[in-house]
Amino acid sequence: MRHHLPRRKLSGLLAAGAALIVAATAVAAGQSINLDLKGGYRNETKVACQQRNHYTAYHRGRILSMDGYVSPAPALPDGAWRVKIKVKRCRNGRFVEIWHGYARGNGVLLNGVKVGHFRKTFRMRTAGYFFARAYYYRAHPRIRSRAEHFHVTR
């Protein structure tokens, strides 16, 4: 019966080590940012610039509304911090930046936790395959959201 005791201790040590690594990663990550595209009339999976992605379709000429959150909220007064949002378009087989803008941030309570909220719009003038991403540069290292892909139709 005693020969199983070292295995239990080893598995306990491995589990504790894994938990410690996860906790250290969460502390190191510190802040996170997300971006959400509003509206759209259809969801589709397409290949653009040699990448298969989920795309939300929008009509050309419309205004794309975007908003998101920085969590936890930056330790600055409302309106004193900002997020950069970049839009890239698929051209000649690669995504290239075609626009960027800045959104001022404000602190809001979300599920009892203070987070930073931002909002920005972008007029979709041309058809094509795009993605938008939000960046917060005051965090070290900078943080960025996932790429949110969208398809502008005619």
Side-chain angles (χ1 to χ4, degrees), residues 54-90:
H54 166 81
Y55 286 86
T56 303
Y58 296 88
H59 290 293
R60 183 175 52 127
R62 305 280 180 158
I63 293 177
L64 173 62
S65 295
M66 302 173 270
D67 78 343
Y69 296 94
V70 175
S71 178
L76 295 167
D78 286 353
W81 60 274
R82 63 187 187 167
V83 169
K84 183 177 188 177
I85 299 174
K86 290 183 183 180
V87 174
K88 294 186 176 187
R89 180 178 184 193
C90 181

Side-chain angles (χ1 to χ4, degrees), residues 2 6 11 19 25 46 48 54 62 65 67 73-74 85 91 95 150:
R2 276 189 69 71
S11 64
T25 304
K46 298 280 187 173
H54 166 81
R62 305 280 180 158
S65 295
D67 78 343
I85 299 174
R91 281 194 184 149
F95 283 101
F150 60 101

Side-chain angles (χ1 to χ4, degrees), residues 16-82:
L20 200 60
I21 290 171
V22 169
T25 304
V27 169
Q31 291 183 309
S32 64
I33 188 170
N34 77 315
L35 180 66
D36 187 30
L37 308 182
K38 303 295 183 184
Y41 67 91
R42 180 176 66 221
N43 293 319
E44 52 197 14
T45 301
K46 298 280 187 173
V47 176
C49 289
Q50 295 88 38
Q51 299 176 20
R52 177 179 294 279
N53 288 299
H54 166 81
Y55 286 86
T56 303
Y58 296 88
H59 290 293
R60 183 175 52 127
R62 305 280 180 158
I63 293 177
L64 173 62
S65 295
M66 302 173 270
D67 78 343
Y69 296 94
V70 175
S71 178
L76 295 167
D78 286 353
W81 60 274
R82 63 187 187 167

